[in-house]
């Protein structure tokens, strides 16, 4: 993953680089570093851990150069140490890289035989030495970079500075995103427009295979075949202000609390709430003609897709194939020509989801993307975009993006039902009215926070936690378990409640909390039988249900009493108690809620 930034400026570059890196920390925070050029001399400063360590170190280091590159790392090859931190350098150049070089072992062996001495365990350092080799043999910087890139297998976005030339920076991308920023007598480069927002809003996105030669007054771009191409800048709409936590202790808590508002916006974008119908979707897709729809995503976005399967099958009678993107991309699944694939991604940069999109397009499918970042690679490569209007999500654990994905998918399923003539108009109106209630119900659930916090203190003492749910509550159980493990580091698993007796029941004893997501819907009684099975084995039950469900369950349990609501909308509302439960457990455990260990917000590697 990693975030990269480069500046050819007229002021000291280091503080500006750090400011941009703060905006890229969502891409990784294992280490950070900058390199600058001053009177042709390369200088570097790097630090293990979060950016604040680099900031502390920079206070004691005089880096005054106006040309510089910076990096924030999510470790893939090599431990998160200072020696593995970027920029990597030789006597002739310094380089930052986002991506993975798959053939780095063989290249490293080859380079070592030629006398290269490696100072890190990273895959990236081979790029630095390959370019260095070219420069040493007399090649100009652009030719040396091109020759090096031809040797690489894998994904990369890079930025390179050259000793002796304060006026030059080269960037290139294959697989990983790279944006070029145009300033007033300054030029920039970065992993995304948000990183460059304090510097400029004039942004051009490089296409896959592009190489960019930047000088202080402009840029020349060459495509994958080396032909000069125009990548004209357009005005980016991202805010230049750093998104802040407001009065909340963590971004995650702020984002949980934003859900009534952002889900409301998203629903209003797709639904005609007064008319009781879906707004016409200008997708260019005839749902009536589709035999099936294939959905692909990763992690939380995949769970949103799992919920959507129930909706599409029920509202639109449309069979759904759903896959985890990292599996789908290598399964070689035959896809119907002119069929429709749907990818779901908050960041729009997830490598596996992007690869699935490309596979589906290569198979002749149209691809629609549910994305939160409209400038992202997935948004740009998809045939049509269904935006989620969640706003920037900073907490690494996805919350508001998830419920906004659910909102978009519900609207799409209703629209598909109408287009296929299987959802009567009156039923559409009933569903639209039900979904219109979601923001209000979410606000009510947020008021349950104190009770959930008390339960979380107990959960924080457990070593393992099970989450159970049936129907659309099953993906919410999976999501609850994922949230808990990623931010509190407590081992948690989600199961379809009916699967309990097929294995996991062996784990139940008095030390095992079981969180049951059980709205009082048509499968409630089945779920209650499973709850009884847990109770009979002294399991500790945390029941998330409504009044009717709690009284019908008749078991001794910690309770989260959610308002009653139509069954179709429960996934959106029940997501909130499981998010709050994970959040307060993590706070109780004292973990880094917004930047949990080993994770990154945007997963741009396989
Ligand atoms: C979990 C989480 C991840 C992401 C996954 C996909 O809280 O955030 O599981 O959902 O990495 O990311 P996107 O949606 O950006 O493709």
């Amino acid at each position: 993953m990693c975030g990269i930034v480069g500046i050819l400026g007229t002021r000291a570059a280091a503080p500006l680089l750090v400011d941009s890196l703060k905006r890229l920390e969502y891409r990784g925070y294992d280490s950070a570093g900058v390199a600058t050029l001053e009177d042709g001399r390369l200088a570097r400063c790097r630090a293990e851990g979060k950016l604040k360590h680099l900031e502390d170190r920079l206070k004691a280091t005089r880096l005054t150069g106006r040309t510089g590159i910076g990096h924030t790392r999510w470790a893939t090859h090599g431990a998160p140490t200072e020696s593995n931190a970027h920029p990597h350098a030789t006597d002739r150049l310094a380089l930052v890289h986002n991506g993975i070089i798959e053939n780095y072992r063989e290249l490293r062996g080859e380079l070592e035989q030629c006398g290269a001495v490696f100072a890190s365990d990273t895959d990236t350092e081979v790029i630095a030495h390959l370019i260095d080799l070219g420069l040493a043999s007399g090649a100009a910087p652009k030719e040396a970079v091109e020759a090096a890139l031809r040797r690489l297998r894998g994904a990369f976005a890079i930025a390179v500075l050259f000793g002796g030339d304060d006026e030059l920076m080269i960037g290139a991308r294959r697989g990983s995103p790279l944006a070029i920023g145009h300033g007033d007598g300054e030029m920039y480069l970065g992993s995304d427009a948000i990183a460059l927002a304090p510097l400029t809003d004039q942004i051009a996105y490089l296409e896959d295979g592009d190489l960019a030669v930047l000088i202080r007054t402009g840029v020349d771009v060459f495509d994958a075949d080396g032909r000069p191409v125009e990548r004209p800048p357009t005005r980016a709409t991202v805010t230049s202000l750093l998104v802040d936590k407001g009065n909340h202790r963590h971004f995650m808590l702020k984002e949980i609390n934003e859900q009534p508002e952002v889900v409301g916006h998203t629903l209003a974008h797709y639904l005609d709430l007064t008319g009781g119908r879906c707004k016409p979707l200008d997708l260019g897709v005839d749902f009536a003609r589709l035999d099936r729809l294939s959905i692909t995503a990763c992690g939380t976005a995949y769970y949103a897709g799992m919920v959507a399967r129930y909706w599409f099958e029920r509202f639109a009678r449309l069979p759904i194939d759903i896959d985890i993107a990292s599996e789908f991309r290598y399964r070689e699944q035959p896809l119907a020509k002119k069929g429709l694939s749907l990818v779901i991604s908050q960041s729009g940069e997830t490598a596996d989801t992007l690869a699935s999109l490309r596979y589906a397009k290569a198979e002749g499918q149209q691809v629609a993307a549910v994305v939160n970042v409209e400038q992202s690679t997935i948004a740009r490569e998809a045939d049509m975009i269904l935006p989620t209007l969640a706003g920037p999500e900073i907490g690494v654990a996805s919350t508001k993006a998830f419920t906004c994905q659910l909102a978009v998918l519900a609207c799409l399923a209703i629209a598909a039902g109408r287009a296929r003539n299987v959802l009567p108009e009156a039923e559409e109106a009933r569903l639209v009215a039900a979904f219109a209630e979601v923001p209000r119900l979410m606000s009510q659930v947020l008021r349950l926070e104190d009770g959930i916090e008390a339960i979380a203190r107990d959960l924080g003492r457990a070593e393992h936690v099970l989450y159970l749910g049936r129907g659309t509550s099953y993906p919410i159980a999976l999501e609850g378990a994922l949230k808990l493990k990623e931010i509190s580091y407590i081992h948690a698993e989600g199961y379809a409640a009916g699967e309990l007796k097929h294995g996991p029941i062996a784990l139940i004893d008095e030390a095992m909390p079981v969180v049951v997501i059980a709205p009082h819907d048509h499968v409630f009684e089945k779920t209650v039988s499973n709850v009884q099975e847990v109770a009979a084995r002294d399991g500790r039950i945390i029941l998330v249900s409504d009044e009717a469900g709690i009284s019908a369950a008749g078991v001794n349990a910690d309770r989260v009493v959610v308002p009653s609501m139509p069954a179709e909308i429960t996934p959106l509302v029940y997501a909130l108690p499981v998010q709050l439960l994970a959040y307060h457990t993590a706070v109780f455990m004292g973990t880094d809620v917004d930047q949990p260990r080993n994770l990154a917000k945007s997963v741009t590697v396989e």
Side-chain angles (χ1 to χ4, degrees):
M1 269 97 72
C2 311
I4 67 176
V5 60
I7 297 177
L8 273 163
T10 48
R11 307 157 273 174
L16 304 176
L17 290 168
V18 169
D19 194 22
S20 289
L21 289 176
K22 282 185 184 155
R23 296 154 178 277
L24 289 173
E25 246 191 330
Y26 74 89
R27 302 176 75 90
Y29 36 78
D30 288 333
S31 66
V34 296
T36 58
L37 265 172
E38 192 173 1
D39 299 329
R41 230 174 0 90
L42 282 165
R44 260 195 307 174
C45 181
R46 301 179 294 167
E48 195 173 315
K50 303 230 165 101
L51 255 178
K52 57 182 181 314
H53 298 153
L54 177 68
E55 279 186 289
D56 289 346
R57 204 162 270 193
L58 275 167
K59 285 183 196 142
T61 322
R62 244 178 69 83
L63 289 190
T64 50
R66 292 170 304 137
T67 300
I69 51 178
H71 188 271
T72 178
R73 175 166 190 246
W74 185 76
T76 56
H77 297 68
T81 57
E82 185 181 333
S83 59
N84 287 330
H86 300 218
H88 290 286
T90 68
D91 290 345
R92 298 180 182 83
L93 64 105
L95 169 141
V96 287
H97 165 223
N98 164 34
I100 287 184
I101 305 307
E102 287 165 3
N103 57 338
Y104 83 101
R105 272 181 212 284
E106 75 191 56
L107 291 172
R108 182 168 173 146
E110 198 182 294
L111 286 158
E112 279 173 337
Q113 284 196 344
C114 299
V117 178
F118 279 75
S120 77
D121 306 319
T122 64
D123 53 339
T124 300
E125 206 185 340
V126 299
I127 317 177
H129 284 290
L130 279 172
I131 299 173
D132 190 80
L133 206 61
L135 295 173
S137 64
K142 175 170 173 274
E143 284 67 43
V145 172
E146 282 171 337
L149 300 188
R150 277 196 291 274
R151 301 291 320 277
L152 304 180
R153 267 203 327 269
F156 56 79
I158 57 164
V160 197
L161 293 185
F162 301 87
D165 193 347
D166 290 18
E167 300 298 318
L168 177 68
M169 179 161 51
I170 293 188
R173 66 158 290 198
R174 193 195 297 160
S176 307
L178 196 57
I180 303 288
H182 292 246
D184 191 7
E186 302 193 339
M187 288 297 294
Y188 323 103
L189 153 172
S191 293
D192 65 23
I194 296 175
L196 303 181
L199 303 166
T200 183
D201 62 359
Q202 293 300 311
I203 301 292
Y205 291 94
L206 293 186
E207 298 289 329
D208 219 33
D210 280 358
L211 179 141
V213 179
L214 292 90
I215 57 170
R216 219 165 291 276
T217 49
V219 61
D220 289 323
V221 182
F222 303 87
D223 69 9
D225 298 319
R227 286 183 300 239
V229 280
E230 291 295 320
R231 304 282 181 234
T234 54
R235 191 164 175 275
T237 51
V238 288
T239 167
S240 71
L241 297 169
L242 256 185
V243 185
D244 70 30
K245 291 198 265 272
N247 293 329
H248 295 283
R249 188 166 165 195
H250 296 102
F251 278 111
M252 182 177 178
L253 188 59
K254 174 176 178 253
E255 289 158 3
I256 289 173
N257 278 280
E258 282 172 0
Q259 289 175 105
E261 191 184 342
V262 294
V263 168
H265 282 157
T266 304
L267 288 167
H269 185 76
Y270 292 94
L271 298 178
D272 170 1
L273 296 168
T274 31
R277 52 198 303 270
C278 284
K279 289 182 184 164
L281 283 173
D282 190 16
L283 285 182
V285 173
D286 181 2
F287 275 101
R289 198 184 44 75
L290 290 184
D291 293 331
R292 35 198 334 108
L293 167 69
S294 87
I295 301 181
T296 319
C298 300
T300 289
Y302 170 72
Y303 298 147
M306 280 181 74
V307 173
R309 172 169 59 185
Y310 292 88
W311 284 331
F312 275 107
E313 294 184 347
R314 195 168 305 154
F315 304 162
R317 308 300 305 146
L318 181 61
I320 300 294
D321 298 316
I322 174 155
D323 273 280
I324 294 166
S326 53
E327 290 299 317
F328 176 82
R329 61 182 294 188
Y330 294 116
R331 253 180 56 212
E332 298 178 25
Q333 188 191 2
L335 297 172
K337 290 248 172 308
K338 301 207 177 122
L340 182 66
S341 276
L342 187 69
V343 296
I344 309 166
S345 175
Q346 186 284 129
S347 62
E349 301 293 349
T350 302
D352 288 316
T353 311
L354 178 60
S356 301
L357 174 155
R358 290 177 178 161
Y359 175 81
K361 282 183 91 169
E363 286 283 293
Q365 293 234 312
Q366 287 187 289
V367 181
V370 177
V371 277
N372 198 38
V373 181
E374 287 191 54
Q375 303 81 9
S376 61
T377 312
I378 288 178
R380 281 180 289 120
E381 293 198 16
D383 298 304
M384 35 210 148
I385 313 176
L386 294 153
T388 46
L389 307 182
E393 192 179 62
I394 308 295
V396 162
S398 187
T399 52
K400 61 175 181 168
F402 174 65
T403 43
C404 285
Q405 286 161 353
L406 290 178
V408 174
L409 292 163
C411 297
L412 189 63
I414 297 171
R418 290 294 295 144
R420 292 165 70 77
N421 225 356
V422 292
L423 189 75
E425 209 175 309
E427 183 61 0
E428 177 186 27
R430 185 190 71 80
L431 287 171
V432 170
F435 279 99
E437 292 299 307
V438 166
R440 179 183 63 80
L441 292 163
M442 282 179 157
S443 298
Q444 286 186 26
V445 169
L446 290 174
R447 286 185 221 127
L448 305 175
E449 186 171 352
D450 289 349
I452 294 175
E453 183 177 359
I455 296 172
R457 285 176 181 274
D458 217 25
L459 210 62
R461 296 191 186 90
E463 281 184 34
H464 312 276
V465 181
L466 271 184
Y467 283 73
L468 300 179
R470 258 176 204 268
T472 51
S473 298
Y474 166 41
I476 301 303
L478 291 167
E479 171 63 0
L482 176 63
K483 284 293 89 104
L484 187 72
K485 65 186 143 197
E486 70 180 325
I487 60 170
S488 75
Y489 317 144
I490 294 173
H491 173 232
E493 296 298 334
Y495 272 93
E499 277 290 290
L500 184 69
K501 55 191 171 296
H502 298 290
I505 199 164
L507 296 170
I508 305 290
D509 62 15
E510 61 287 346
M512 169 68 90
V514 183
V515 181
V516 187
I517 319 296
H520 196 246
D521 57 15
H522 67 292
V523 286
F524 176 78
E525 282 182 7
K526 306 282 174 201
T527 309
V528 165
S529 313
N530 307 125
V531 174
Q532 300 290 1
E533 289 155 16
V534 175
R537 287 157 184 87
D538 290 333
R540 287 158 52 197
I541 299 162
I542 298 159
L543 185 58
V544 186
S545 186
D546 44 34
E547 288 283 5
I550 301 274
S551 67
V555 286
N556 194 8
D558 284 327
R559 297 148 182 203
V560 179
V561 191
V562 174
S564 64
M565 66 196 76
E568 294 87 352
I569 66 171
T570 57
L572 282 120
V573 182
Y574 278 66
L576 274 57
V578 298
Q579 293 166 352
L580 285 169
L581 199 56
Y583 171 76
H584 283 292
T585 308
V587 170
F588 176 65
M589 307 282 292
T591 57
D592 189 340
V593 170
D594 283 333
Q595 295 186 327
R597 69 184 183 205
N598 305 339
L599 292 172
K601 184 74 185 153
S602 175
V603 187
T604 56
V605 295
E606 274 196 57

